[in-house]
């Protein structure tokens, strides 16, 4: 429970993620004043995160389990984002002085969901997401989220950025 956690916790809610059309972990962290991000100009792959000025490169978690993947993380399956500010060893037993970034993924629910988004933008940006949740029994459900994203970059003719993903649960 949050009340028992000896750290400051900032939570980015599903409503904030939806209202701001967040498409990546980088975009979601803009809502957290203690956290900063920058691109991979310092030879590390993927986005780099800092909490209170300390690198959180190895302190990204997915549903409370360390996520060692260093890549641009899309938010299509993100329910909420938690940033724990303070020594991560207080809760996770290891990590940096700055804190922890924990992505909370969407989980199956007993209420059916059929939702999707379509987004178009400058530089030929095209994005679609889908969220399907179906009960498969009185106490069980199946949920699948998916994304397709294709875009160019402003001022650059031959640079493209494409990604897709699927997350069954």
């Amino acid at each position: 429970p949050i009340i028992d956690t000896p750290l400051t916790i900032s939570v980015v809610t599903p409503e904030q993620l939806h209202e701001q059309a967040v498409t990546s972990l980088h975009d979601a962290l803009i809502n957290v004043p203690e956290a900063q991000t920058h691109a991979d100009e310092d030879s590390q792959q993927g986005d780099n995160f800092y909490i209170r000025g300390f690198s959180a490169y190895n302190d990204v978690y997915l549903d409370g389990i360390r996520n060692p993947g260093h890549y641009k993380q899309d938010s299509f399956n993100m329910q909420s984002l938690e940033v724990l500010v303070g020594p991560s060893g207080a809760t996770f037993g290891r990590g940096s002085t700055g804190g922890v970034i924990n992505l909370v993924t969407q989980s199956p629910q007993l209420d059916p969901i059929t939702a999707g988004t379509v987004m178009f933008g400058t530089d030929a940006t095209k994005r679609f997401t889908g969220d399907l949740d179906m009960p498969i029994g009185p106490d069980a459900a199946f949920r699948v989220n998916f994304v397709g994203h294709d875009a160019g970059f402003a001022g650059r003719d031959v640079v493209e950025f494409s990604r897709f993903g699927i997350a069954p649960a």
Side-chain angles (χ1 to χ4, degrees):
I2 289 179
I3 196 163
D4 295 335
T5 306
L7 303 167
T8 301
I9 300 176
S10 296
V11 177
V12 182
T13 65
E15 293 80 20
Q16 287 175 295
L17 295 171
H18 178 72
E19 288 174 3
Q20 296 174 359
V22 168
T23 62
S24 68
L25 175 58
H26 182 279
D27 295 342
L29 282 172
I30 291 172
N31 294 291
V32 182
E34 299 89 1
Q36 300 84 36
T37 63
H38 71 87
D40 56 353
E41 288 105 7
D42 59 1
S43 76
Q44 293 178 348
Q45 185 178 9
D47 289 330
N48 294 307
F49 308 107
Y50 290 86
I51 302 174
R52 299 186 327 159
F54 297 97
S55 175
Y57 185 72
N58 289 312
D59 294 312
V60 178
Y61 288 75
L62 185 64
D63 293 327
I65 299 171
R66 186 170 176 270
N67 183 7
H70 301 294
Y71 48 88
K72 185 168 181 68
Q73 299 188 30
D74 198 289
S75 63
F76 77 99
N77 190 35
M78 190 185 307
Q79 176 68 29
S80 64
L81 174 68
E82 302 169 344
V83 178
L84 289 73
V85 179
S88 58
T91 306
F92 291 90
R94 61 157 307 276
S96 71
T97 305
V100 169
I101 298 166
N102 185 41
L103 289 83
V104 179
T105 60
Q106 295 180 357
S107 58
Q109 303 176 21
L110 294 177
D111 296 325
I113 296 172
T114 303
T117 65
V118 176
M119 185 183 300
F120 296 100
T122 59
D123 299 310
T125 297
K126 299 170 286 299
R127 179 184 174 87
F128 67 89
T129 64
D131 183 2
L132 303 171
D133 186 338
M134 299 175 292
I136 56 175
D139 296 325
F142 174 76
R143 188 169 191 168
V144 62
N145 291 293
F146 54 89
V147 64
H149 184 110
D150 186 44
F153 282 91
R156 300 181 76 184
D157 294 334
V158 294
V159 180
E160 295 180 1
F161 186 71
S162 298
R163 62 185 185 260
F164 66 92
I166 185 167

